[in-house]
Amino acid sequence: MQMVCLTDFEEYAKEHLSKATWDYYAAGADECCTRDDNLLAYKRIRLRPRILRDVSVSDTRTTVQGTEISFPVGIAPTAFHCLAWHEGEVATARATETLNTCYITSTYSTCSVEEIVAAAPNGYRWFQLYVYRNRKLSEQMVHRVEALGYKALVLTVDVPYTGKRRNDIRNQFKLPPHLKVKNFDGVFQETAGPEEYGIPANTLDPSISWKDVYWLQSITRLPIIIKGILTKEDAELAVEHGVQGIIVSNHGGRQLDGGPASIDALPEIVDTVQGRIEVYVDGGIRTGSDVLKALALGAKCVFIGRPAVWGLAYKGEEGVREVLQILNDEFRLSMALSGCRNVAEINRNLIQFSKL
């Protein structure tokens, strides 16, 4: 079967993954309103294409944090890639290395950060970090990834507690016995009691606050990017606290249900930041024209979560490569059909603000 668009990969994954695994990846919080709105919001945005602009040559390259990538789509941090494909994150890392884009490795990986680096030594990688009640645990992870050559820390800030994902509760979702959160191998052996997504419940620190950004800056020289900002107020605070980037994100609709679609939150954040730091977005990107819309609204780069997992489920490394390649090809085509020859020519004039 020829894979033509990202929906083809989604359908394949739904058919071939176990119900509990599919439900885990697909889950949104509560009624899944925000998860679904992430996709619907892109469909509400209309483009204003310019014509007769000589688009015979096009260039999709851009930079993130000063590093050139081949096109403005990276891989968002998603957990447990081995559930979708036996090689897991190692396959994801190789695919992103081949396509020369950014891979944000999840703390909750089923391969260790060392295995990921060994598999794709030349890949451009950031590391997604949670702050734990035991700060030493977070600190050790920071030093590990810094020594391994990860280029930035992505601090996820929208999980003081885990959102209520109904199907995970119904399925009593647990990692199968042959898989574990590899980065914490041996760390929690003593711990009895309930488990949540592969590590003991209540490991995450709900007291996390802006002062922890300063704490993080005191233990690392890596750029810090905050993931999970949805308001201009928090965007301003992020800039004031000296972080290097923001990922506008609602965690794929898996945390607070009833918040904005991430693409709807993007413009006010871009307007507030005014180019002082880079702004990225994730959630709901399924086509090249979605990528174009996000860039037109001021995102420097977008990140995809679930589609990468569908690619893995389809054919491992090759599947992730195909997903990225399709998005790259679609983005290049949408750019050309809108009259843009390179990413510098993409701006808000491309967006028709529909009167809703």
Side-chain angles (χ1 to χ4, degrees), residues 238-280:
V239 175
E240 286 170 13
H241 282 78
V243 306
Q244 279 72 35
I246 288 170
I247 303 180
V248 178
S249 173
N250 52 36
H251 216 103
R254 294 161 79 81
Q255 283 300 104
L256 176 69
D257 199 31
S262 47
I263 193 64
D264 287 340
L266 178 67
E268 74 170 60
I269 290 169
V270 168
D271 290 345
T272 296
V273 168
Q274 293 198 319
R276 289 175 290 174
I277 59 175
E278 291 184 350
V279 178
Y280 318 106

Side-chain angles (χ1 to χ4, degrees), residues 102-252:
C102 179
Y103 169 30
I104 309 178
T105 304
S106 170
T107 284
Y108 285 78
S109 293
T110 36
C111 302
S112 70
V113 284
E114 289 81 5
E115 288 167 331
I116 289 165
V117 170
N122 300 312
Y124 179 60
R125 274 175 293 269
W126 299 347
F127 181 75
Q128 175 268 330
L129 182 77
Y130 286 109
V131 172
Y132 296 105
R133 288 174 193 265
N134 175 359
R135 288 289 191 281
K136 270 276 166 276
L137 208 55
S138 299
E139 191 170 341
Q140 285 162 357
M141 273 313 309
V142 169
H143 294 320
R144 255 170 92 182
V145 300
E146 193 161 10
L148 284 165
Y150 283 74
K151 295 298 187 230
L153 294 174
V154 175
L155 177 65
T156 298
V157 293
D158 54 5
V159 192
Y161 302 96
T162 306
K164 183 178 177 181
R165 303 165 197 169
R166 296 176 183 178
N167 282 342
D168 285 350
I169 298 167
R170 291 188 183 109
N171 297 331
Q172 298 184 312
F173 175 82
K174 257 193 171 61
L175 269 184
H178 69 284
L179 295 180
K180 46 177 163 306
V181 180
K182 263 294 193 53
N183 290 322
F184 296 136
D185 210 356
V187 171
F188 297 116
Q189 277 164 338
E190 324 296 285
T191 323
E195 199 183 88
E196 193 173 56
Y197 299 114
I199 66 171
N202 303 319
T203 308
L204 290 171
D205 190 350
S207 81
I208 182 173
S209 70
W210 285 105
K211 69 177 187 300
D212 291 294
V213 174
Y214 288 142
W215 168 74
L216 207 49
Q217 287 163 337
S218 77
I219 64 165
T220 182
R221 294 166 60 185
L222 290 176
I224 293 164
I225 292 152
I226 294 195
K227 175 178 178 284
I229 286 181
L230 291 167
T231 63
K232 60 186 179 189
E233 292 87 347
D234 283 337
E236 183 57 48
L237 282 166
V239 175
E240 286 170 13
H241 282 78
V243 306
Q244 279 72 35
I246 288 170
I247 303 180
V248 178
S249 173
N250 52 36
H251 216 103

Side-chain angles (χ1 to χ4, degrees), residues 38-142:
N38 272 348
L39 283 92
L40 293 169
Y42 276 99
K43 299 188 195 333
R44 295 193 289 263
I45 298 166
R46 292 284 173 267
L47 294 164
R48 302 176 63 247
R50 299 297 305 274
I51 43 88
L52 299 174
R53 298 279 284 264
D54 182 3
V55 288
S56 55
V57 178
S58 65
D59 181 359
T60 61
R61 288 174 304 168
T62 190
T63 61
V64 285
Q65 298 298 317
T67 295
E68 188 180 282
I69 54 176
S70 61
F71 71 121
V73 179
I75 302 283
T78 49
F80 311 149
H81 288 192
C82 285
L83 282 177
W85 182 260
H86 61 99
E87 289 181 302
E89 289 80 6
V90 154
T92 312
R94 287 194 193 117
T96 45
E97 179 186 55
T98 303
L99 269 86
N100 184 29
T101 190
C102 179
Y103 169 30
I104 309 178
T105 304
S106 170
T107 284
Y108 285 78
S109 293
T110 36
C111 302
S112 70
V113 284
E114 289 81 5
E115 288 167 331
I116 289 165
V117 170
N122 300 312
Y124 179 60
R125 274 175 293 269
W126 299 347
F127 181 75
Q128 175 268 330
L129 182 77
Y130 286 109
V131 172
Y132 296 105
R133 288 174 193 265
N134 175 359
R135 288 289 191 281
K136 270 276 166 276
L137 208 55
S138 299
E139 191 170 341
Q140 285 162 357
M141 273 313 309
V142 169

